[in-house]
Amino acid sequence: MDIVLISAAFIAGFAALKCHLPPLVGFLLAGFALQAWGYQSNETITTLADLGVTLLLFTIGLKLDIKTLLSKEIWASATFHNLTTSVLFAALFAGLKLLGLGSFASMDLGQLLLLGFALSFSSTVFAVKALQEKGEMNATYASVAIGILVMQDIFAVIFLTASTGKLPHWYAIILFGLPLLRPIFFRLLNRVGHNEMLVLFGVVFALVVGAGLFTLVGMKPDLGALIMGMMLAEHRKASELSKSLFNIKELFLVCFFLNIGLSAEPTLNALLLALLFIALLPLKGLLYFITINAFKFRVRTSLLASLTLFNYSEFGLIVGGLAFSLGWMSADMMVALALALSLSFVIAAPLNRLGHKIYQHSGKWLQEHAAEKLNQRDRLINPGQAQVLILGMGRIGSGAYDELKARYGSICLGIEVKEDAAAEHREEGRNVIAADATDPDFWERILDTAQVKLVLLAMPHHQGNQTALNQLKARGFKGQVAAIAAYQDQFDGLFASGVDAAFNIYSEAGSGFARHVCEQLQPPLTARID
């Protein structure tokens, strides 16, 4: 049976990809189709799905800055949205109860609030997958959305602890000693190398040290994986560790989405309830937009963050299962939550893919904050006298910056999405600011580009470079543009979009290595003419 499930997932995922949809939409639909044919989930699929979510939260933690969670725009936005959505949805359900609508008629106020609470959460798994596929995990709007989702995960742990009546064991106090062990963890990470031992290190720390330890003391294992990732986030190999776990995490998450479809046995009543929940989704998205925009983020940031959160969460299924087991919720309501979750993914996937276009068409109708009142992370950009803009200050971007500075002096401005990384570059003497180069408003935020003659697209994700190139051309940039790429189809896409030069990060690395060796060692080689 496992062979049938995995084969169906591959076929459906491939079909979704060819329809320009995220593969996860295909995985969900495959689950529903198999369920209709009589297939059910099994222990293997469920276990792999749980492992995928745990590894996902661990990798989120590796990229998470604790200062982000402590900022008021994150914790206050998450708290206000969850409370407002829960109460508002419960009030709407209470109105349906008064009308005598079957499924709501037998529910009391507490149960209606619980249902509203379950629907107030958004899916961390979906959001991270959508952001990774667009190559925008480090964008300003992405950090806001992920911060809100992490706060929601914390709310989830508090709820599960309170509702089940299971308090952590008294010896959970040992968890406060984990930060004292971080130097040991760092030294171990330094010594595991860069290959299979690095992958194994990540799996052990996510599933054993993080999830296992938290389970042992009576707390949610996923929270343990998230916190363990956050503890390692400041290590210089945190990014490399996250990348090493990417493929295994993606494989396990296929089982997660497949499992959602297999878990629901649709009935007509459940389908009607699910459609009602889907009808409320725009209201939930609007509340996200209003809440985020209230903290002086630009319209674009608020809109894209809201689209990222425009879905229901797998946490709703956890709440539904708990409520069903306690007799607080009917079986149809639980199935409706599963259907609504799946349908919200199907709706949100193309919306996220078209997010920039949606903003371009709707942004002009939405009122923007005054420039001087914008959130510090969304302020206007002043390039000064820079003649070269380098978008993406990773290893390639940094190397290009240093080479150009050595040749021409201080003519470059680096653009880096992470504020802490930009600060490190400035400490090293580079002229670098924090901004999102894929932002459709990026060039409009730059006060004066008259001096800019060359733009280097050096972001690690091809989609980010392609998006930035499209924005450049759409705004009539007259200077030269060069980009990095790894594969032939990426080269073709870049040149078709008007790039002036492209650099193959694989083949050119080899020629650069040989050139460096010849210049530094001047080996006593004799040229031959074949």
Side-chain angles (χ1 to χ4, degrees):
M1 186 188 298
D2 292 343
I3 295 177
V4 174
L5 297 179
I6 298 301
S7 299
F10 172 78
I11 295 171
F14 184 77
L17 192 64
K18 291 303 179 182
C19 294
H20 304 288
L21 291 172
L24 65 88
V25 175
F27 305 150
L28 285 169
L29 295 178
F32 281 121
L34 289 168
Q35 220 284 336
W37 280 93
Y39 287 93
Q40 294 182 343
S41 184
N42 55 49
E43 186 176 349
T44 300
I45 296 294
T46 301
T47 300
L48 293 178
D50 292 341
L51 291 177
V53 173
T54 301
L55 287 176
L56 173 70
L57 290 174
F58 178 70
T59 56
I60 290 174
L62 289 173
K63 300 179 180 180
L64 194 64
D65 183 356
I66 189 63
K67 293 181 292 185
T68 300
L69 292 182
L70 296 178
S71 61
K72 64 179 181 181
E73 56 259 37
I74 298 300
W75 66 262
S77 293
T79 303
F80 177 80
H81 184 273
N82 271 62
L83 289 174
T84 304
T85 305
S86 299
V87 172
L88 187 57
F89 279 17
L92 292 172
F93 297 148
L96 296 175
K97 172 184 171 67
L98 292 176
L99 294 175
L101 194 64
S103 298
F104 298 102
S106 60
M107 299 177 70
D108 60 30
L109 181 59
Q111 293 168 339
L112 295 176
L113 279 170
L114 177 61
L115 180 58
F117 180 70
L119 293 172
S120 69
F121 286 76
S122 298
S123 173
T124 301
V125 178
F126 176 88
V128 173
K129 283 281 292 177
L131 291 169
Q132 286 177 338
E133 287 172 0
K134 292 191 294 183
E136 298 180 3
M137 270 296 292
N138 293 321
T140 300
Y141 81 89
S143 65
V144 172
I146 293 299
I148 291 175
L149 289 167
V150 171
M151 288 301 303
Q152 290 183 352
D153 286 338
I154 294 174
F155 298 157
V157 173
I158 295 173
F159 169 79
L160 289 174
T161 300
S163 60
T164 58
K166 291 175 59 178
L167 294 174
H169 301 303
W170 65 267
Y171 45 84
I173 195 172
I174 65 173
L175 296 179
F176 289 103
L178 282 176
L180 300 178
L181 299 176
R182 190 159 66 163
I184 298 176
F185 297 157
F186 276 27
R187 284 198 292 271
L188 183 59
L189 182 53
N190 282 331
R191 297 181 179 181
V192 295
H194 302 276
N195 298 312
E196 66 274 9
M197 284 303 298
L198 181 63
V199 177
L200 190 56
F201 173 92
V203 172
V204 168
F205 268 70
L207 304 182
V208 180
V209 182
L213 182 59
F214 271 61
T215 301
L216 186 65
V217 300
M219 296 186 68
K220 196 168 183 284
D222 292 344
L223 179 65
L226 176 68
I227 291 178
M228 187 53 60
M230 293 171 63
M231 288 185 60
L232 298 173
E234 294 183 5
H235 194 279
R236 58 184 177 81
K237 290 175 68 175
S239 178
E240 182 184 356
L241 177 58
S242 177
K243 292 176 182 177
S244 72
L245 293 171
F246 181 81
N247 288 331
I248 187 172
K249 175 199 66 178
E250 294 293 288
L251 180 61
F252 288 163
L253 285 177
V254 172
C255 297
F256 170 82
F257 291 108
L258 189 62
N259 201 40
I260 291 177
L262 288 168
S263 66
E265 184 177 352
T267 64
L268 179 59
N269 188 50
L271 180 59
L272 292 175
L273 286 171
L275 293 176
L276 172 62
F277 297 155
I278 290 298
L280 295 176
L281 195 56
L283 176 59
K284 179 181 177 179
L286 178 62
L287 287 173
Y288 271 126
F289 178 85
I290 293 174
T291 302
I292 297 171
N293 193 246
F295 286 94
K296 308 301 181 182
F297 283 102
R298 292 182 303 117
V299 166
R300 184 260 182 188
T301 300
S302 304
L303 180 61
L304 291 185
S306 300
L307 289 176
T308 303
L309 301 169
F310 192 80
N311 52 69
Y312 291 122
S313 172
E314 55 278 359
F315 177 66
L317 297 181
I318 299 175
V319 172
L322 177 62
F324 177 70
S325 65
L326 296 175
W328 297 346
M329 190 176 291
S330 67
D332 271 355
M333 193 66 73
M334 181 179 171
V335 174
L337 287 173
L339 290 172
L341 170 65
S342 304
L343 291 173
S344 73
F345 285 2
V346 173
I347 293 172
L351 288 179
N352 274 269
R353 184 171 58 85
L354 299 172
H356 295 294
K357 292 183 178 180
I358 292 174
Y359 167 69
Q360 290 172 355
H361 286 91
S362 62
K364 59 185 177 182
W365 304 107
L366 301 171
Q367 185 175 0
E368 189 65 89
H369 295 291
E372 64 275 8
K373 294 182 179 181
L374 286 172
N375 190 288
Q376 183 63 38
R377 296 159 71 179
D378 253 1
R379 293 285 172 87
L380 298 177
I381 301 170
N382 185 358
Q385 299 299 310
Q387 299 179 49
V388 180
L389 295 184
I390 302 177
L391 311 185
M393 288 297 292
R395 284 175 292 184
I396 294 178
S398 299
Y401 184 104
D402 294 340
E403 178 67 21
L404 289 170
K405 183 177 181 180
R407 289 173 178 265
Y408 303 103
S410 300
I411 64 168
C412 298
L413 172 64
I415 309 296
E416 168 61 46
V417 293
K418 287 187 176 181
E419 178 58 50
D420 55 349
E424 290 180 5
H425 282 299
R426 289 193 292 268
E427 290 176 0
E428 295 173 0
R430 300 187 183 99
N431 180 25
V432 178
I433 61 173
D436 178 9
T438 64
D439 190 336
D441 282 347
F442 179 74
W443 297 104
E444 294 180 10
R445 290 174 62 204
I446 295 181
L447 298 179
D448 182 14
T449 59
Q451 299 291 327
V452 178
K453 301 175 182 177
L454 174 64
V455 174
L456 302 183
L457 306 177
M459 289 177 281
H461 295 282
H462 171 70
Q463 184 60 46
N465 289 325
Q466 184 70 60
T467 299
L469 176 61
N470 294 340
Q471 296 298 329
L472 273 170
K473 296 302 180 182
R475 283 164 175 76
F477 179 67
K478 302 301 182 184
Q480 295 178 311
V481 182
I484 61 171
Y487 306 105
Q488 186 59 47
D489 61 329
Q490 295 177 352
F491 273 85
D492 295 340
L494 289 169
F495 281 111
S497 299
V499 75
D500 297 293
F503 177 89
N504 189 313
I505 58 176
Y506 294 138
S507 65
E508 297 292 347
S511 62
F513 176 53
R515 184 168 57 252
H516 178 77
V517 169
C518 292
E519 292 175 353
Q520 294 294 316
L521 302 182
Q522 297 183 354
L525 304 176
T526 301
R528 291 183 55 185
I529 300 177
D530 295 330

